[in-house]
Amino acid sequence: MELFFQLFNPNIPIDVLLFAIGATTFASVVAWKLPGSDKCRRVARVWVGVYALMMLYMTVIHRTPGTEYRYNFTPLWSYPAMESGLVEVFYEKLFNIILFIPYGAMLAASFRQHKFRNALLAGVATSVGIELLQLATKTGMCETDDVIHNTIGCITGTLLSIASLKFLRKIHTVAH
């Protein structure tokens, strides 16, 4: 339990707010009367911006420069570390995936066409941007693995959103 509180600091209410807003936004976008409508896309775009700012706050802005600072550009370095028993590394990577699931879902809902490609590109660009900011400001851990795991989260959220929107369009079409 101590590890949980180290990774998800309850003194930072933005963590709870981030996930609550992400989950609520995803649910409201998917449950919109006409999924995929222009109104739905506009709402999703606003929340993409809000969520991106909150991720930036959580991963860069609220951290003190020089503390927790390190970088590792070796792809997949974390897997041997996890195999050797470093549970903290596993939870850090899991958190990176979870963090980007709502973002990927909102990104996919915000595009009219080429949802998967556009959401993937925007998600990767956001992740790389955060990692470069962490490197430049010496706040946090700039790692290739973070980009990989953020991308996995973005893809997961994107696929969930696309599937949900298709399902709701199908239900809407059948109902009318």
Side-chain angles (χ1 to χ4, degrees):
M1 192 57 117
E2 184 179 326
L3 175 63
F4 175 82
F5 286 112
Q6 287 174 353
L7 295 172
F8 303 100
N9 186 342
N11 295 325
I12 303 172
I14 194 77
D15 294 350
V16 176
L17 186 61
L18 181 71
F19 289 107
I21 288 177
T24 303
T25 302
F26 178 68
S28 59
V29 166
V30 170
W32 203 264
K33 185 176 179 184
L34 290 172
S37 69
D38 286 336
K39 189 185 285 188
C40 176
R41 277 190 286 282
R42 283 192 297 268
V43 168
R45 287 180 190 136
V46 167
W47 284 110
V48 162
V50 169
Y51 198 83
L53 287 173
M54 289 191 320
M55 286 192 306
L56 182 64
Y57 173 80
M58 221 171 110
T59 59
V60 179
I61 296 169
H62 94 279
R63 295 180 176 175
T64 305
T67 60
E68 300 182 42
Y69 172 67
R70 70 172 194 234
Y71 59 90
N72 190 334
F73 299 121
T74 306
L76 304 177
W77 72 268
S78 59
Y79 288 87
M82 285 186 270
E83 286 178 1
S84 71
L86 288 175
V87 178
E88 299 86 16
V89 175
F90 169 77
Y91 285 112
E92 287 173 12
K93 302 314 162 196
L94 180 62
F95 179 71
N96 284 333
I97 292 170
I98 292 169
L99 181 66
F100 268 73
I101 289 174
Y103 191 62
M106 289 181 273
L107 282 169
S110 70
F111 292 110
R112 181 185 301 263
Q113 297 177 339
H114 311 294
K115 291 178 181 296
F116 183 81
R117 184 194 69 201
N118 291 338
L120 178 62
L121 291 173
V124 170
T126 302
S127 179
V128 168
I130 287 171
E131 296 303 314
L132 290 175
L133 278 170
Q134 287 178 334
L135 181 65
T137 60
K138 296 185 178 182
T139 53
M141 300 166 275
C142 176
E143 304 173 4
T144 309
D145 278 14
D146 285 357
V147 174
I148 292 168
H149 292 98
N150 292 345
T151 302
I152 290 169
C154 187
I155 289 170
T156 303
T158 299
L159 292 175
L160 286 170
S161 180
I162 290 170
S164 298
L165 291 170
K166 282 183 181 178
F167 177 73
L168 288 173
R169 274 195 210 110
K170 191 175 197 177
I171 289 174
H172 182 75
T173 305
V174 170
H176 289 88

